[in-house]
Amino acid sequence: MDYFTLDEDKSLGYVAYIGCEHKWGLPGIRRCPGCQVTWGGGAKSYPSVDLSPITALADFEEPRAEPIEEYERLRELVMPLLPPGALVEPGTELGPLVGKAQGPFGAFVARFAWLLMARRESLEKLQAEGLRGLKGCRTELRFRQRNVPELLELELLPVGRLHPDCLPPNRKPPCPRCGRRGLTRPEHMVLDASTLPSHLDLFRLEDFSTTIVCTERFVQACRRLNLDGVSFHPLPMK
């Protein structure tokens, strides 16, 4: 099985605007006692999660950094609400996308490398083809146009890693307290074949979660169905 990363297909000439963020999120960590770094983010997001059962919703509405003990307390509150297979880290985003958007849009919308949306009818065509792991989640986007598309955000589980051979040989081990790895994504990525899922045709990498990966089956289905908006780039693996 061959694998690909995907990106916005700028050759189509779509000029779209999207200004959005997820409704809730976990805070970052302020000055971790293990590595002394303030950090958060990494593109892990779960748009299907509904935090409304949690009483103190305000704790999840403002992006910020908190002491690690507070981050861990809030993380434990959301863990029971996460989808199976979810991994969290400081800055993990939750709930639907909210904001403004204006098209035109293709079958897929990938204005950000780590966030992928699709028109409902496009997603349903792929699901009818038997592709695995395609979960569309509603958005709360306000459109400034007459013909409003129904865009769904794809919830992509973090699975699979890059092969150690494409990472710096002198890299430090993850922080034992917060797990921070502190690595920049290499320019030339190589997938670790032993870590790739056999049950998903679309996912994001666990260690570099800004990278969305799909199978050859996904690429072939998109081309056969004439679904536009993204371009595909092959990824080697070892």
Side-chain angles (χ1 to χ4, degrees):
M1 175 70 71
D2 292 329
Y3 291 84
F4 299 77
T5 185
L6 52 84
D7 199 0
E8 179 186 16
D9 187 355
K10 297 182 180 179
S11 68
L12 298 174
Y14 292 132
V15 180
Y17 164 80
I18 297 178
C20 60
E21 60 185 12
H22 290 95
K23 196 167 190 175
W24 303 295
L26 287 169
I29 290 176
R30 183 194 310 143
R31 199 170 175 80
C32 167
C35 60
Q36 307 303 311
V37 174
T38 296
W39 71 285
K44 289 184 175 67
S45 60
Y46 303 102
S48 69
V49 173
D50 180 11
L51 292 190
S52 56
I54 295 178
T55 304
L57 270 182
D59 289 339
F60 301 91
E61 293 175 350
E62 180 184 352
R64 67 198 186 283
E66 294 279 8
I68 192 169
E69 294 80 8
E70 176 64 3
Y71 160 74
E72 291 172 338
R73 182 185 73 83
L74 295 175
R75 181 188 63 189
E76 292 309 306
L77 292 177
V78 306
M79 290 297 287
L81 304 174
L82 297 176
L87 300 175
V88 298
E89 63 187 2
T92 294
E93 298 180 340
L94 306 164
L97 283 173
V98 296
K100 298 179 180 179
Q102 184 172 356
F105 302 105
F108 290 100
V109 181
R111 296 294 289 172
F112 312 104
W114 58 90
L115 191 155
L116 182 64
M117 289 183 281
R119 291 176 177 265
R120 175 178 288 278
E121 59 269 24
S122 302
L123 181 59
E124 290 176 347
K125 289 179 181 179
L126 289 172
Q127 290 170 331
E129 292 283 315
L131 294 178
R132 302 157 299 177
L134 303 186
K135 181 179 179 180
C137 302
R138 67 179 184 86
T139 62
E140 296 181 3
L141 297 174
R142 302 187 304 278
F143 291 89
R144 296 183 289 185
Q145 60 193 77
R146 288 187 177 180
N147 297 321
V148 177
E150 186 177 3
L151 293 182
L152 302 176
E153 182 183 358
L154 294 175
E155 186 167 76
L156 306 174
L157 293 177
V159 190
R161 305 177 70 88
L162 293 186
H163 197 278
D165 286 356
C166 71
L167 301 175
N170 59 345
R171 60 190 180 277
K172 296 180 180 179
C175 171
R177 184 67 178 89
C178 70
R180 180 180 181 271
R181 301 172 69 242
L183 292 176
T184 301
R185 191 181 76 173
E187 181 178 356
H188 301 290
M189 296 184 290
V190 179
L191 296 173
D192 186 340
S194 67
T195 69
L196 299 177
S198 60
H199 62 293
L200 299 174
D201 286 303
L202 187 67
F203 54 96
R204 68 173 76 249
L205 292 182
E206 176 185 336
D207 50 354
F208 292 93
S209 51
T210 56
T211 303
I212 298 175
V213 177
C214 66
T215 63
E216 185 179 9
R217 293 178 70 245
F218 184 89
V219 175
Q220 291 175 345
C222 288
R223 290 172 176 167
R224 186 169 59 252
L225 296 169
N226 294 317
L227 302 180
D228 63 359
V230 291
S231 56
F232 302 101
H233 313 279
L235 280 174
M237 59 181 175
K238 293 180 68 174

